[in-house]
Amino acid sequence: MRDIETREDCERLVRAFYGRAMTDPHIGYLFTDVAHLDLDEHVPVITSFWETILLGARTYGGGAFAPHARLHAKSPMSPGHFDRWVVLWCETVDELFAGERAELAKAHARRVARAFSRRLQGLPPEAPEGAPVPLVITRHGG
């Protein structure tokens, strides 16, 4: 197996993932019934996202979090939804590719899923290991 090397590889990965995710009994409804995802419109955008992350192409210019926040407002997503997304993504990567960029695709997916899940649950972002814990000051009374 070879590594992810081209935009076409990114698109192959994205299409294979969505083929799996949209029919998944745990998260498929989010794509089909809630988001009403149009793959012809969505695949080029997400391919650009992954092409930017994995190949440094700088073809993605959107904000990735906002669409997830809108989806969450329609149908709340739990950490379990993100965990399932990561499992399906990593399985798809492993079936199609092997190498440094394939590993980066899995690691980045884990980071994004964890960050999005935390933000949507109203939790603060995780601090890097060893970073000081911020002090939150609240005022009570008058």
Side-chain angles (χ1 to χ4, degrees), residues 48-67:
S48 291
F49 174 83
W50 286 106
E51 180 185 34
T52 297
I53 297 300
L54 301 174
L55 306 176
R58 297 184 187 184
T59 54
Y60 181 76
F65 181 74

Side-chain angles (χ1 to χ4, degrees), residues 89-108:
W89 178 260
C90 291
E91 287 176 354
T92 307
V93 171
D94 287 341
E95 287 177 7
L96 298 175
F97 300 101
E100 186 177 322
R101 289 191 187 106
E103 293 304 313
L104 176 60
K106 294 185 293 184
H108 190 76

Side-chain angles (χ1 to χ4, degrees), residues 1-141:
M1 246 189 291
R2 64 183 187 80
D3 204 354
I4 300 166
E5 299 171 358
T6 65
R7 178 177 177 87
E8 290 74 23
D9 291 339
C10 293
E11 183 172 340
R12 180 176 171 219
L13 173 58
V14 166
R15 286 191 182 280
F17 167 75
Y18 280 106
R20 175 178 274 165
M22 291 180 76
T23 60
D24 184 74
H26 303 290
I27 64 170
Y29 75 95
L30 290 166
F31 300 102
T32 59
D33 301 339
V34 181
H36 303 286
L37 196 62
D38 177 350
L39 285 181
D40 290 335
E41 183 180 311
H42 190 63
V43 166
V45 173
I46 299 304
T47 297
S48 291
F49 174 83
W50 286 106
E51 180 185 34
T52 297
I53 297 300
L54 301 174
L55 306 176
R58 297 184 187 184
T59 54
Y60 181 76
F65 181 74
H68 294 85
R70 286 192 296 273
L71 184 64
H72 182 70
K74 292 180 186 179
S75 180
M77 293 182 284
S78 71
H81 290 113
F82 286 95
D83 291 345
R84 183 66 181 157
W85 182 90
V86 168
V87 166
L88 295 174
W89 178 260
C90 291
E91 287 176 354
T92 307
V93 171
D94 287 341
E95 287 177 7
L96 298 175
F97 300 101
E100 186 177 322
R101 289 191 187 106
E103 293 304 313
L104 176 60
K106 294 185 293 184
H108 190 76
R110 288 183 194 105
R111 282 193 302 273
V112 167
R114 188 171 45 248
F116 282 14
S117 179
R118 290 186 65 79
R119 282 182 72 183
L120 292 174
Q121 305 310 314
L123 300 172
E126 290 180 300
E129 192 166 320
V133 177
L135 176 63
V136 177
I137 300 172
T138 59
R139 175 178 274 167
H140 300 278

